[in-house]
Amino acid sequence: MNTKLEKPIRLRNLTYGNIVENLSHVSFGNYHLPNPNDGGTSVNNETSFESWKKRMILRYPNAEVELIPNESWSSRVQVIDKSFQYDQSIFVKSKSNFLSA
């Protein structure tokens, strides 16, 4: 079954198979998934993917995900959700304020 995604998909419908199919060129099978801070989660199996997904759905139940194979390794998976973007911006701003103090 071809699962190439050409448009965003609801996070709750996203599978590890979607990630592998759409980002199969990633070396060593490690996929970088974004977190609401400035870091990410590296997954290389379905169990670690499901753990990340479960945490994300609890905080962002209406989020969508876009897979962009040609982006840099840290930007291939994009979470599309206003609350997620807001949380990321607050984290980055707080971190910047802390480091400049």
Side-chain angles (χ1 to χ4, degrees):
M1 177 168 70
N2 187 348
T3 58
K4 290 284 186 183
L5 302 176
E6 296 178 9
K7 60 183 181 176
I9 183 173
R10 296 274 314 229
L11 176 59
R12 61 179 72 256
N13 297 332
L14 185 69
T15 66
Y16 184 68
N18 295 136
I19 302 285
V20 172
E21 172 95 16
N22 288 272
L23 305 177
S24 61
H25 65 285
V26 173
S27 60
F28 306 113
N30 289 316
Y31 304 99
H32 180 84
L33 306 178
N35 290 327
N37 56 26
D38 63 347
T41 299
S42 181
V43 301
N44 61 5
N45 60 56
E46 191 162 353
T47 302
S48 59
F49 168 77
E50 289 298 332
S51 177
W52 172 84
K53 180 178 166 180
K54 189 180 297 184
R55 286 191 317 271
M56 293 293 287
I57 288 174
L58 285 173
R59 290 184 74 180
Y60 312 104
N62 297 316
E64 292 187 327
V65 174
E66 186 172 15
L67 303 176
I68 311 169
N70 296 327
E71 282 289 329
S72 68
W73 65 272
S74 63
S75 300
R76 289 184 179 131
V77 179
Q78 297 284 322
V79 174
I80 304 168
D81 183 86
K82 287 181 182 181
S83 295
F84 180 82
Q85 271 87 31
Y86 177 78
D87 288 349
Q88 274 190 329
S89 69
I90 293 299
F91 179 85
V92 169
K93 185 175 182 177
S94 297
K95 183 177 176 180
S96 175
N97 289 341
F98 175 77
L99 293 174
S100 65

